């Protein structure tokens, strides 16, 4: 039997959403990780954002509760609950 252990980063921020999904570009703005949509676009296109451990260059990537976004040393977890 294989057991998968995932290490949770110490600087994990839970960001609750109240919809089925949120687009990556909008999520970065919503989480206050960036100041504008243009800045989010540049960071995503320049491969500075990871989604679930993999670099993501799709601004419209749909994030759902349980997804994790890593950006500038901070890990954000999308949740559907209030913190």
């Amino acid at each position: 039997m294989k057991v998968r252990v995932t290490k949770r980063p110490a600087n994990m921020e839970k960001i609750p959403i109240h919809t089925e999904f949120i687009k990556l570009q909008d999520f970065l703005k919503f989480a206050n990780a960036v100041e504008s949509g243009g800045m989010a676009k540049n960071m995503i296109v320049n491969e500075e954002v990871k989604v679930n451990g993999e670099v993501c260059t799709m601004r419209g990537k749909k994030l759902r509760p349980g997804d994790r976004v890593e950006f500038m040393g901070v890990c954000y977890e999308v949740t559907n609950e209030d913190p």
Side-chain angles (χ1 to χ4, degrees):
M1 176 165 86
K2 292 184 180 181
V3 176
R4 183 176 181 185
V5 177
T6 55
K7 193 173 182 181
R8 180 173 254 175
N11 54 350
M12 171 79 71
E13 289 188 36
K14 293 188 176 195
I15 307 296
I17 62 171
H18 303 288
T19 56
E20 181 183 349
F21 65 87
I22 187 170
K23 292 181 181 178
L24 178 58
Q25 180 175 338
D26 298 331
F27 178 80
L28 291 176
K29 292 187 299 185
F30 182 70
N32 292 319
V34 296
E35 295 178 9
S36 68
M39 186 177 190
K41 175 185 173 183
N42 288 334
M43 297 297 184
I44 295 166
V45 170
N46 291 331
E47 301 181 350
E48 297 180 35
V49 181
K50 289 184 178 181
V51 175
N52 297 325
E54 296 182 12
V55 173
C56 182
T57 58
M58 298 182 298
R59 293 183 300 156
K61 169 80 174 161
K62 292 180 181 177
L63 302 175
R64 292 182 166 77
D67 285 335
R68 292 185 178 176
V69 177
E70 294 175 50
F71 177 68
M72 296 192 69
V74 180
C75 188
Y76 302 92
E77 182 175 1
V78 182
T79 68
N80 59 356
E81 305 169 354
D82 291 325

